[in-house]
Amino acid sequence: MNTKIINSLVLAICGILFWIIVADINGKWTGFVDYNGSLIPMSFNFKTDGEKLTGTTETPLGANAIEDGKVERDQINFKVDLNGSKAVFTGHTFADSINLKISYQGEEYQTTLKRTSGQ
């Protein structure tokens, strides 16, 4: 009986710690994408509300709203309309970075975002 109680408490504590440790991605993040040999700067201003992800992204193509954004634990996904074509972003969040895979116009790209200093 004591073993069941102890195991339950340990699992509960681990669950609470997991949610505390999960990275807060709110704020500004920047990175570069290698597009045909040119490094294209990208910045993201993420806002989360539970599992909902909103915000904006800025590239040389202009500023655009994040659409259909979702955060589940350390995974994020969202879409951005870039000049009439949807770019699909999927990623893995860490405390100090976000690894993103970008699907755009039939091509796949990778980038690592870093939190902008002062955030």
Side-chain angles (χ1 to χ4, degrees):
M1 178 85 164
N2 285 339
T3 304
K4 287 183 180 181
I5 293 172
I6 291 172
N7 287 341
S8 296
L9 286 172
V10 168
L11 286 174
I13 291 169
C14 287
I16 292 168
L17 288 175
F18 175 78
W19 286 108
I20 291 171
I21 293 171
V22 170
D24 174 17
I25 65 167
N26 287 303
K28 190 170 183 177
W29 297 77
T30 58
F32 295 89
V33 171
D34 184 346
Y35 183 75
N36 296 327
S38 296
L39 290 179
I40 308 298
M42 304 180 82
S43 66
F44 297 84
N45 189 16
F46 293 124
K47 296 175 187 167
T48 59
D49 182 11
E51 289 188 349
K52 184 177 181 181
L53 174 66
T54 59
T56 57
T57 181
E58 193 167 330
T59 69
L61 297 176
N64 297 286
I66 291 173
E67 303 171 0
D68 303 324
K70 192 167 189 178
V71 177
E72 294 182 83
R73 292 184 299 271
D74 62 346
Q75 303 292 315
I76 64 172
N77 59 68
F78 57 95
K79 297 176 185 169
V80 174
D81 186 330
L82 299 174
N83 285 343
S85 295
K86 291 285 184 194
V88 178
F89 296 78
T90 56
H92 187 84
T93 64
F94 300 93
D96 63 346
S97 64
I98 300 173
N99 291 341
L100 283 179
K101 181 174 84 172
I102 307 161
S103 299
Y104 179 64
Q105 295 183 335
E107 299 289 329
E108 298 282 326
Y109 305 95
Q110 302 273 335
T111 189
T112 299
L113 304 177
K114 296 289 185 181
R115 189 179 298 273
T116 301
S117 61
Q119 293 284 323

mmCIF file of all heavy atoms in Angstrom, residues 7-55:
data_model
loop_
_atom_site.group_PDB
_atom_site.id
_atom_site.type_symbol
_atom_site.label_atom_id
_atom_site.label_comp_id
_atom_site.label_asym_id
_atom_site.label_seq_id
_atom_site.Cartn_x
_atom_site.Cartn_y
_atom_site.Cartn_z
ATOM 1 N N ASN A 7 4.665 5.776 -5.208
ATOM 2 C CA ASN A 7 4.736 5.820 -6.674
ATOM 3 C C ASN A 7 3.807 6.887 -7.244
ATOM 4 O O ASN A 7 4.167 7.611 -8.167
ATOM 5 C CB ASN A 7 4.411 4.459 -7.280
ATOM 6 C CG ASN A 7 5.516 3.449 -7.082
ATOM 7 O OD1 ASN A 7 6.665 3.812 -6.812
ATOM 8 N ND2 ASN A 7 5.182 2.174 -7.210
ATOM 9 N N SER A 8 2.621 6.994 -6.689
ATOM 10 C CA SER A 8 1.669 8.011 -7.147
ATOM 11 C C SER A 8 2.199 9.422 -6.894
ATOM 12 O O SER A 8 2.079 10.301 -7.744
ATOM 13 C CB SER A 8 0.318 7.830 -6.447
ATOM 14 O OG SER A 8 -0.261 6.603 -6.807
ATOM 15 N N LEU A 9 2.779 9.619 -5.710
ATOM 16 C CA LEU A 9 3.348 10.932 -5.402
ATOM 17 C C LEU A 9 4.511 11.282 -6.319
ATOM 18 O O LEU A 9 4.621 12.417 -6.807
ATOM 19 C CB LEU A 9 3.807 10.986 -3.944
ATOM 20 C CG LEU A 9 2.706 11.096 -2.898
ATOM 21 C CD1 LEU A 9 3.282 10.952 -1.496
ATOM 22 C CD2 LEU A 9 1.964 12.404 -3.045
ATOM 23 N N VAL A 10 5.374 10.316 -6.583
ATOM 24 C CA VAL A 10 6.514 10.547 -7.474
ATOM 25 C C VAL A 10 6.024 10.899 -8.876
ATOM 26 O O VAL A 10 6.519 11.843 -9.501
ATOM 27 C CB VAL A 10 7.460 9.324 -7.493
ATOM 28 C CG1 VAL A 10 8.469 9.438 -8.621
ATOM 29 C CG2 VAL A 10 8.159 9.169 -6.163
ATOM 30 N N LEU A 11 5.039 10.172 -9.380
ATOM 31 C CA LEU A 11 4.493 10.474 -10.705
ATOM 32 C C LEU A 11 3.852 11.856 -10.750
ATOM 33 O O LEU A 11 4.015 12.597 -11.716
ATOM 34 C CB LEU A 11 3.485 9.404 -11.124
ATOM 35 C CG LEU A 11 4.080 8.070 -11.543
ATOM 36 C CD1 LEU A 11 2.972 7.056 -11.799
ATOM 37 C CD2 LEU A 11 4.940 8.231 -12.791
ATOM 38 N N ALA A 12 3.140 12.213 -9.704
ATOM 39 C CA ALA A 12 2.512 13.536 -9.651
ATOM 40 C C ALA A 12 3.569 14.637 -9.640
ATOM 41 O O ALA A 12 3.450 15.637 -10.358
ATOM 42 C CB ALA A 12 1.617 13.642 -8.426
ATOM 43 N N ILE A 13 4.605 14.467 -8.855
ATOM 44 C CA ILE A 13 5.686 15.455 -8.800
ATOM 45 C C ILE A 13 6.385 15.562 -10.145
ATOM 46 O O ILE A 13 6.672 16.664 -10.623
ATOM 47 C CB ILE A 13 6.681 15.117 -7.662
ATOM 48 C CG1 ILE A 13 6.000 15.338 -6.314
ATOM 49 C CG2 ILE A 13 7.950 15.958 -7.769
ATOM 50 C CD1 ILE A 13 6.773 14.805 -5.131
ATOM 51 N N CYS A 14 6.647 14.428 -10.802
ATOM 52 C CA CYS A 14 7.277 14.451 -12.130
ATOM 53 C C CYS A 14 6.406 15.190 -13.134
ATOM 54 O O CYS A 14 6.903 15.958 -13.954
ATOM 55 C CB CYS A 14 7.554 13.026 -12.614
ATOM 56 S SG CYS A 14 8.912 12.229 -11.751
ATOM 57 N N GLY A 15 5.098 14.964 -13.064
ATOM 58 C CA GLY A 15 4.184 15.665 -13.966
ATOM 59 C C GLY A 15 4.211 17.167 -13.752
ATOM 60 O O GLY A 15 4.246 17.951 -14.700
ATOM 61 N N ILE A 16 4.197 17.581 -12.501
ATOM 62 C CA ILE A 16 4.252 19.010 -12.179
ATOM 63 C C ILE A 16 5.578 19.614 -12.639
ATOM 64 O O ILE A 16 5.606 20.684 -13.253
ATOM 65 C CB ILE A 16 4.034 19.230 -10.670
ATOM 66 C CG1 ILE A 16 2.592 18.878 -10.300
ATOM 67 C CG2 ILE A 16 4.362 20.663 -10.270
ATOM 68 C CD1 ILE A 16 2.341 18.780 -8.812
ATOM 69 N N LEU A 17 6.678 18.934 -12.372
ATOM 70 C CA LEU A 17 7.989 19.426 -12.808
ATOM 71 C C LEU A 17 8.080 19.534 -14.317
ATOM 72 O O LEU A 17 8.665 20.468 -14.848
ATOM 73 C CB LEU A 17 9.105 18.536 -12.268
ATOM 74 C CG LEU A 17 9.387 18.651 -10.781
ATOM 75 C CD1 LEU A 17 10.437 17.625 -10.351
ATOM 76 C CD2 LEU A 17 9.832 20.051 -10.426
ATOM 77 N N PHE A 18 7.485 18.559 -15.030
ATOM 78 C CA PHE A 18 7.518 18.611 -16.491
ATOM 79 C C PHE A 18 6.868 19.889 -16.988
ATOM 80 O O PHE A 18 7.405 20.575 -17.846
ATOM 81 C CB PHE A 18 6.819 17.390 -17.097
ATOM 82 C CG PHE A 18 6.722 17.462 -18.585
ATOM 83 C CD1 PHE A 18 7.821 17.164 -19.371
ATOM 84 C CD2 PHE A 18 5.554 17.858 -19.214
ATOM 85 C CE1 PHE A 18 7.751 17.240 -20.744
ATOM 86 C CE2 PHE A 18 5.467 17.942 -20.585
ATOM 87 C CZ PHE A 18 6.571 17.627 -21.348
ATOM 88 N N TRP A 19 5.712 20.250 -16.456
ATOM 89 C CA TRP A 19 5.020 21.452 -16.907
ATOM 90 C C TRP A 19 5.762 22.722 -16.510
ATOM 91 O O TRP A 19 5.700 23.726 -17.211
ATOM 92 C CB TRP A 19 3.588 21.477 -16.406
ATOM 93 C CG TRP A 19 2.766 20.503 -17.179
ATOM 94 C CD1 TRP A 19 2.278 19.319 -16.732
ATOM 95 C CD2 TRP A 19 2.401 20.588 -18.552
ATOM 96 N NE1 TRP A 19 1.622 18.667 -17.748
ATOM 97 C CE2 TRP A 19 1.676 19.427 -18.880
ATOM 98 C CE3 TRP A 19 2.603 21.532 -19.558
ATOM 99 C CZ2 TRP A 19 1.162 19.180 -20.142
ATOM 100 C CZ3 TRP A 19 2.087 21.288 -20.824
ATOM 101 C CH2 TRP A 19 1.371 20.132 -21.107
ATOM 102 N N ILE A 20 6.494 22.690 -15.401
ATOM 103 C CA ILE A 20 7.295 23.847 -15.002
ATOM 104 C C ILE A 20 8.498 24.004 -15.918
ATOM 105 O O ILE A 20 8.869 25.113 -16.298
ATOM 106 C CB ILE A 20 7.743 23.703 -13.534
ATOM 107 C CG1 ILE A 20 6.532 23.826 -12.615
ATOM 108 C CG2 ILE A 20 8.800 24.736 -13.169
ATOM 109 C CD1 ILE A 20 6.812 23.499 -11.164
ATOM 110 N N ILE A 21 9.109 22.862 -16.304
ATOM 111 C CA ILE A 21 10.328 22.889 -17.102
ATOM 112 C C ILE A 21 10.066 23.214 -18.569
ATOM 113 O O ILE A 21 10.915 23.759 -19.248
ATOM 114 C CB ILE A 21 11.086 21.548 -16.970
ATOM 115 C CG1 ILE A 21 11.594 21.400 -15.544
ATOM 116 C CG2 ILE A 21 12.212 21.425 -17.956
ATOM 117 C CD1 ILE A 21 12.160 20.046 -15.218
ATOM 118 N N VAL A 22 8.874 22.895 -19.084
ATOM 119 C CA VAL A 22 8.577 23.146 -20.493
ATOM 120 C C VAL A 22 8.850 24.617 -20.799
ATOM 121 O O VAL A 22 8.437 25.507 -20.066
ATOM 122 C CB VAL A 22 7.112 22.781 -20.823
ATOM 123 C CG1 VAL A 22 6.725 23.264 -22.198
ATOM 124 C CG2 VAL A 22 6.914 21.281 -20.718
ATOM 125 N N ALA A 23 9.556 24.851 -21.871
ATOM 126 C CA ALA A 23 10.020 26.193 -22.217
ATOM 127 C C ALA A 23 8.861 27.144 -22.500
ATOM 128 O O ALA A 23 7.881 26.782 -23.131
ATOM 129 C CB ALA A 23 10.928 26.121 -23.429
ATOM 130 N N ASP A 24 8.999 28.349 -22.015
ATOM 131 C CA ASP A 24 8.061 29.426 -22.313
ATOM 132 C C ASP A 24 8.557 30.078 -23.601
ATOM 133 O O ASP A 24 9.633 30.661 -23.628
ATOM 134 C CB ASP A 24 8.051 30.429 -21.164
ATOM 135 C CG ASP A 24 7.215 31.652 -21.460
ATOM 136 O OD1 ASP A 24 6.378 31.616 -22.390
ATOM 137 O OD2 ASP A 24 7.394 32.665 -20.763
ATOM 138 N N ILE A 25 7.780 29.977 -24.671
ATOM 139 C CA ILE A 25 8.246 30.513 -25.959
ATOM 140 C C ILE A 25 7.713 31.914 -26.240
ATOM 141 O O ILE A 25 8.011 32.468 -27.296
ATOM 142 C CB ILE A 25 7.916 29.567 -27.133
ATOM 143 C CG1 ILE A 25 6.406 29.435 -27.333
ATOM 144 C CG2 ILE A 25 8.579 28.227 -26.931
ATOM 145 C CD1 ILE A 25 6.030 28.775 -28.641
ATOM 146 N N ASN A 26 6.944 32.483 -25.323
ATOM 147 C CA ASN A 26 6.438 33.835 -25.543
ATOM 148 C C ASN A 26 7.601 34.798 -25.745
ATOM 149 O O ASN A 26 8.599 34.728 -25.045
ATOM 150 C CB ASN A 26 5.602 34.297 -24.351
ATOM 151 C CG ASN A 26 4.263 33.610 -24.305
ATOM 152 O OD1 ASN A 26 3.492 33.679 -25.245
ATOM 153 N ND2 ASN A 26 4.008 32.916 -23.209
ATOM 154 N N GLY A 27 7.462 35.695 -26.721
ATOM 155 C CA GLY A 27 8.489 36.694 -26.966
ATOM 156 C C GLY A 27 9.059 36.585 -28.366
ATOM 157 O O GLY A 27 8.542 35.879 -29.231
ATOM 158 N N LYS A 28 10.148 37.296 -28.574
ATOM 159 C CA LYS A 28 10.760 37.401 -29.901
ATOM 160 C C LYS A 28 11.905 36.407 -30.065
ATOM 161 O O LYS A 28 12.769 36.292 -29.202
ATOM 162 C CB LYS A 28 11.255 38.823 -30.142
ATOM 163 C CG LYS A 28 11.680 39.060 -31.574
ATOM 164 C CD LYS A 28 11.933 40.517 -31.849
ATOM 165 C CE LYS A 28 12.288 40.707 -33.321
ATOM 166 N NZ LYS A 28 12.484 42.103 -33.652
ATOM 167 N N TRP A 29 11.898 35.725 -31.208
ATOM 168 C CA TRP A 29 12.915 34.743 -31.570
ATOM 169 C C TRP A 29 13.411 35.062 -32.977
ATOM 170 O O TRP A 29 12.635 35.494 -33.831
ATOM 171 C CB TRP A 29 12.319 33.343 -31.552
ATOM 172 C CG TRP A 29 11.848 32.896 -30.211
ATOM 173 C CD1 TRP A 29 10.688 33.280 -29.581
ATOM 174 C CD2 TRP A 29 12.510 32.006 -29.330
ATOM 175 N NE1 TRP A 29 10.601 32.668 -28.362
ATOM 176 C CE2 TRP A 29 11.698 31.872 -28.182
ATOM 177 C CE3 TRP A 29 13.699 31.289 -29.402
ATOM 178 C CZ2 TRP A 29 12.051 31.060 -27.116
ATOM 179 C CZ3 TRP A 29 14.040 30.476 -28.338
ATOM 180 C CH2 TRP A 29 13.234 30.371 -27.211
ATOM 181 N N THR A 30 14.696 34.841 -33.233
ATOM 182 C CA THR A 30 15.253 35.125 -34.562
ATOM 183 C C THR A 30 16.111 33.967 -35.048
ATOM 184 O O THR A 30 16.629 33.179 -34.254
ATOM 185 C CB THR A 30 16.110 36.411 -34.541
ATOM 186 O OG1 THR A 30 17.153 36.250 -33.585
ATOM 187 C CG2 THR A 30 15.282 37.635 -34.209
ATOM 188 N N GLY A 31 16.254 33.908 -36.361
ATOM 189 C CA GLY A 31 17.091 32.888 -36.987
ATOM 190 C C GLY A 31 17.260 33.180 -38.463
ATOM 191 O O GLY A 31 16.813 34.224 -38.966
ATOM 192 N N PHE A 32 17.915 32.253 -39.158
ATOM 193 C CA PHE A 32 18.165 32.385 -40.591
ATOM 194 C C PHE A 32 17.807 31.074 -41.283
ATOM 195 O O PHE A 32 17.978 30.005 -40.705
ATOM 196 C CB PHE A 32 19.642 32.691 -40.866
ATOM 197 C CG PHE A 32 20.077 34.028 -40.331
ATOM 198 C CD1 PHE A 32 20.567 34.150 -39.042
ATOM 199 C CD2 PHE A 32 19.977 35.160 -41.118
ATOM 200 C CE1 PHE A 32 20.963 35.368 -38.539
ATOM 201 C CE2 PHE A 32 20.373 36.398 -40.633
ATOM 202 C CZ PHE A 32 20.865 36.502 -39.333
ATOM 203 N N VAL A 33 17.350 31.178 -42.514
ATOM 204 C CA VAL A 33 17.074 30.004 -43.336
ATOM 205 C C VAL A 33 17.968 30.078 -44.564
ATOM 206 O O VAL A 33 18.067 31.126 -45.211
ATOM 207 C CB VAL A 33 15.590 29.956 -43.758
ATOM 208 C CG1 VAL A 33 15.345 28.873 -44.786
ATOM 209 C CG2 VAL A 33 14.705 29.752 -42.558
ATOM 210 N N ASP A 34 18.619 28.963 -44.886
ATOM 211 C CA ASP A 34 19.425 28.878 -46.104
ATOM 212 C C ASP A 34 18.473 28.626 -47.268
ATOM 213 O O ASP A 34 17.915 27.541 -47.414
ATOM 214 C CB ASP A 34 20.436 27.736 -45.986
ATOM 215 C CG ASP A 34 21.372 27.663 -47.190
ATOM 216 O OD1 ASP A 34 21.083 28.300 -48.231
ATOM 217 O OD2 ASP A 34 22.385 26.955 -47.088
ATOM 218 N N TYR A 35 18.274 29.647 -48.096
ATOM 219 C CA TYR A 35 17.380 29.565 -49.249
ATOM 220 C C TYR A 35 18.221 29.757 -50.502
ATOM 221 O O TYR A 35 18.675 30.861 -50.796
ATOM 222 C CB TYR A 35 16.281 30.627 -49.149
ATOM 223 C CG TYR A 35 15.267 30.565 -50.263
ATOM 224 C CD1 TYR A 35 14.305 29.570 -50.275
ATOM 225 C CD2 TYR A 35 15.281 31.497 -51.286
ATOM 226 C CE1 TYR A 35 13.370 29.512 -51.286
ATOM 227 C CE2 TYR A 35 14.354 31.450 -52.308
ATOM 228 C CZ TYR A 35 13.394 30.452 -52.305
ATOM 229 O OH TYR A 35 12.469 30.392 -53.316
ATOM 230 N N ASN A 36 18.490 28.656 -51.184
ATOM 231 C CA ASN A 36 19.301 28.670 -52.409
ATOM 232 C C ASN A 36 20.660 29.337 -52.204
ATOM 233 O O ASN A 36 21.118 30.118 -53.036
ATOM 234 C CB ASN A 36 18.548 29.345 -53.559
ATOM 235 C CG ASN A 36 17.311 28.594 -53.964
ATOM 236 O OD1 ASN A 36 17.262 27.367 -53.887
ATOM 237 N ND2 ASN A 36 16.286 29.310 -54.395
ATOM 238 N N GLY A 37 21.296 29.052 -51.084
ATOM 239 C CA GLY A 37 22.628 29.578 -50.812
ATOM 240 C C GLY A 37 22.669 30.939 -50.158
ATOM 241 O O GLY A 37 23.738 31.441 -49.834
ATOM 242 N N SER A 38 21.516 31.546 -49.947
ATOM 243 C CA SER A 38 21.450 32.848 -49.267
ATOM 244 C C SER A 38 20.822 32.665 -47.895
ATOM 245 O O SER A 38 19.831 31.943 -47.753
ATOM 246 C CB SER A 38 20.591 33.829 -50.061
ATOM 247 O OG SER A 38 21.172 34.105 -51.307
ATOM 248 N N LEU A 39 21.404 33.311 -46.894
ATOM 249 C CA LEU A 39 20.824 33.257 -45.552
ATOM 250 C C LEU A 39 19.737 34.326 -45.439
ATOM 251 O O LEU A 39 20.009 35.526 -45.549
ATOM 252 C CB LEU A 39 21.891 33.474 -44.486
ATOM 253 C CG LEU A 39 22.894 32.342 -44.322
ATOM 254 C CD1 LEU A 39 23.923 32.690 -43.249
ATOM 255 C CD2 LEU A 39 22.194 31.042 -43.978
ATOM 256 N N ILE A 40 18.512 33.864 -45.241
ATOM 257 C CA ILE A 40 17.362 34.754 -45.152
ATOM 258 C C ILE A 40 17.008 34.943 -43.676
ATOM 259 O O ILE A 40 16.737 33.975 -42.975
ATOM 260 C CB ILE A 40 16.145 34.160 -45.899
ATOM 261 C CG1 ILE A 40 16.511 33.771 -47.333
ATOM 262 C CG2 ILE A 40 14.950 35.101 -45.831
ATOM 263 C CD1 ILE A 40 16.958 34.916 -48.198
ATOM 264 N N PRO A 41 17.024 36.194 -43.182
ATOM 265 C CA PRO A 41 16.679 36.426 -41.777
ATOM 266 C C PRO A 41 15.181 36.251 -41.533
ATOM 267 O O PRO A 41 14.356 36.597 -42.382
ATOM 268 C CB PRO A 41 17.105 37.874 -41.532
ATOM 269 C CG PRO A 41 17.027 38.516 -42.875
ATOM 270 C CD PRO A 41 17.352 37.441 -43.881
ATOM 271 N N MET A 42 14.858 35.694 -40.376
ATOM 272 C CA MET A 42 13.468 35.521 -39.973
ATOM 273 C C MET A 42 13.354 35.894 -38.500
ATOM 274 O O MET A 42 14.247 35.596 -37.720
ATOM 275 C CB MET A 42 13.036 34.061 -40.136
ATOM 276 C CG MET A 42 13.208 33.497 -41.517
ATOM 277 S SD MET A 42 12.681 31.778 -41.596
ATOM 278 C CE MET A 42 10.926 32.026 -41.773
ATOM 279 N N SER A 43 12.257 36.534 -38.143
ATOM 280 C CA SER A 43 11.996 36.783 -36.726
ATOM 281 C C SER A 43 10.545 36.411 -36.438
ATOM 282 O O SER A 43 9.672 36.521 -37.303
ATOM 283 C CB SER A 43 12.284 38.234 -36.344
ATOM 284 O OG SER A 43 11.394 39.104 -36.985
ATOM 285 N N PHE A 44 10.320 35.949 -35.235
ATOM 286 C CA PHE A 44 9.002 35.508 -34.808
ATOM 287 C C PHE A 44 8.696 36.147 -33.467
ATOM 288 O O PHE A 44 9.556 36.219 -32.604
ATOM 289 C CB PHE A 44 8.971 33.981 -34.639
ATOM 290 C CG PHE A 44 9.221 33.233 -35.912
ATOM 291 C CD1 PHE A 44 10.512 32.991 -36.341
ATOM 292 C CD2 PHE A 44 8.170 32.771 -36.673
ATOM 293 C CE1 PHE A 44 10.760 32.305 -37.514
ATOM 294 C CE2 PHE A 44 8.401 32.082 -37.846
ATOM 295 C CZ PHE A 44 9.688 31.848 -38.270
ATOM 296 N N ASN A 45 7.470 36.608 -33.318
ATOM 297 C CA ASN A 45 6.997 37.098 -32.039
ATOM 298 C C ASN A 45 5.858 36.176 -31.629
ATOM 299 O O ASN A 45 4.747 36.282 -32.135
ATOM 300 C CB ASN A 45 6.526 38.543 -32.132
ATOM 301 C CG ASN A 45 6.234 39.134 -30.770
ATOM 302 O OD1 ASN A 45 6.646 38.606 -29.748
ATOM 303 N ND2 ASN A 45 5.505 40.224 -30.753
ATOM 304 N N PHE A 46 6.165 35.214 -30.740
ATOM 305 C CA PHE A 46 5.202 34.201 -30.341
ATOM 306 C C PHE A 46 4.405 34.644 -29.123
ATOM 307 O O PHE A 46 4.940 35.268 -28.198
ATOM 308 C CB PHE A 46 5.913 32.891 -29.988
ATOM 309 C CG PHE A 46 6.562 32.214 -31.153
ATOM 310 C CD1 PHE A 46 7.914 31.917 -31.122
ATOM 311 C CD2 PHE A 46 5.833 31.849 -32.265
ATOM 312 C CE1 PHE A 46 8.533 31.273 -32.175
ATOM 313 C CE2 PHE A 46 6.429 31.200 -33.335
ATOM 314 C CZ PHE A 46 7.782 30.911 -33.288
ATOM 315 N N LYS A 47 3.112 34.287 -29.136
ATOM 316 C CA LYS A 47 2.230 34.507 -27.998
ATOM 317 C C LYS A 47 1.446 33.216 -27.799
ATOM 318 O O LYS A 47 0.851 32.700 -28.745
ATOM 319 C CB LYS A 47 1.265 35.662 -28.270
ATOM 320 C CG LYS A 47 1.953 36.988 -28.455
ATOM 321 C CD LYS A 47 0.973 38.073 -28.832
ATOM 322 C CE LYS A 47 1.735 39.345 -29.165
ATOM 323 N NZ LYS A 47 0.890 40.327 -29.811
ATOM 324 N N THR A 48 1.478 32.697 -26.580
ATOM 325 C CA THR A 48 0.735 31.477 -26.298
ATOM 326 C C THR A 48 -0.374 31.747 -25.300
ATOM 327 O O THR A 48 -0.257 32.609 -24.434
ATOM 328 C CB THR A 48 1.654 30.368 -25.742
ATOM 329 O OG1 THR A 48 2.269 30.826 -24.545
ATOM 330 C CG2 THR A 48 2.721 29.973 -26.746
ATOM 331 N N ASP A 49 -1.435 30.985 -25.459
ATOM 332 C CA ASP A 49 -2.556 30.992 -24.528
ATOM 333 C C ASP A 49 -2.999 29.542 -24.401
ATOM 334 O O ASP A 49 -3.744 29.046 -25.239
ATOM 335 C CB ASP A 49 -3.685 31.872 -25.037
ATOM 336 C CG ASP A 49 -4.855 31.953 -24.066
ATOM 337 O OD1 ASP A 49 -4.707 31.502 -22.906
ATOM 338 O OD2 ASP A 49 -5.920 32.463 -24.455
ATOM 339 N N GLY A 50 -2.467 28.851 -23.398
ATOM 340 C CA GLY A 50 -2.698 27.412 -23.303
ATOM 341 C C GLY A 50 -2.014 26.726 -24.475
ATOM 342 O O GLY A 50 -0.821 26.897 -24.696
ATOM 343 N N GLU A 51 -2.789 25.977 -25.259
ATOM 344 C CA GLU A 51 -2.228 25.291 -26.429
ATOM 345 C C GLU A 51 -2.309 26.138 -27.700
ATOM 346 O O GLU A 51 -1.809 25.733 -28.741
ATOM 347 C CB GLU A 51 -2.948 23.961 -26.667
ATOM 348 C CG GLU A 51 -2.617 22.912 -25.624
ATOM 349 C CD GLU A 51 -3.168 21.550 -25.971
ATOM 350 O OE1 GLU A 51 -3.988 21.433 -26.911
ATOM 351 O OE2 GLU A 51 -2.777 20.581 -25.302
ATOM 352 N N LYS A 52 -2.914 27.301 -27.609
ATOM 353 C CA LYS A 52 -3.063 28.163 -28.786
ATOM 354 C C LYS A 52 -1.812 29.013 -28.984
ATOM 355 O O LYS A 52 -1.321 29.648 -28.045
ATOM 356 C CB LYS A 52 -4.288 29.058 -28.632
ATOM 357 C CG LYS A 52 -4.562 29.907 -29.847
ATOM 358 C CD LYS A 52 -5.826 30.713 -29.667
ATOM 359 C CE LYS A 52 -6.092 31.545 -30.911
ATOM 360 N NZ LYS A 52 -7.305 32.354 -30.761
ATOM 361 N N LEU A 53 -1.295 29.036 -30.210
ATOM 362 C CA LEU A 53 -0.118 29.830 -30.564
ATOM 363 C C LEU A 53 -0.525 30.875 -31.590
ATOM 364 O O LEU A 53 -1.109 30.550 -32.625
ATOM 365 C CB LEU A 53 0.977 28.928 -31.140
ATOM 366 C CG LEU A 53 2.224 29.621 -31.680
ATOM 367 C CD1 LEU A 53 2.981 30.303 -30.551
ATOM 368 C CD2 LEU A 53 3.117 28.624 -32.389
ATOM 369 N N THR A 54 -0.241 32.135 -31.289
ATOM 370 C CA THR A 54 -0.488 33.228 -32.219
ATOM 371 C C THR A 54 0.772 34.081 -32.279
ATOM 372 O O THR A 54 1.767 33.798 -31.632
ATOM 373 C CB THR A 54 -1.684 34.107 -31.774
ATOM 374 O OG1 THR A 54 -1.400 34.644 -30.486
ATOM 375 C CG2 THR A 54 -2.975 33.299 -31.736
ATOM 376 N N GLY A 55 0.708 35.150 -33.042
ATOM 377 C CA GLY A 55 1.825 36.073 -33.129
ATOM 378 C C GLY A 55 2.075 36.484 -34.558
ATOM 379 O O GLY A 55 1.193 36.396 -35.416
#
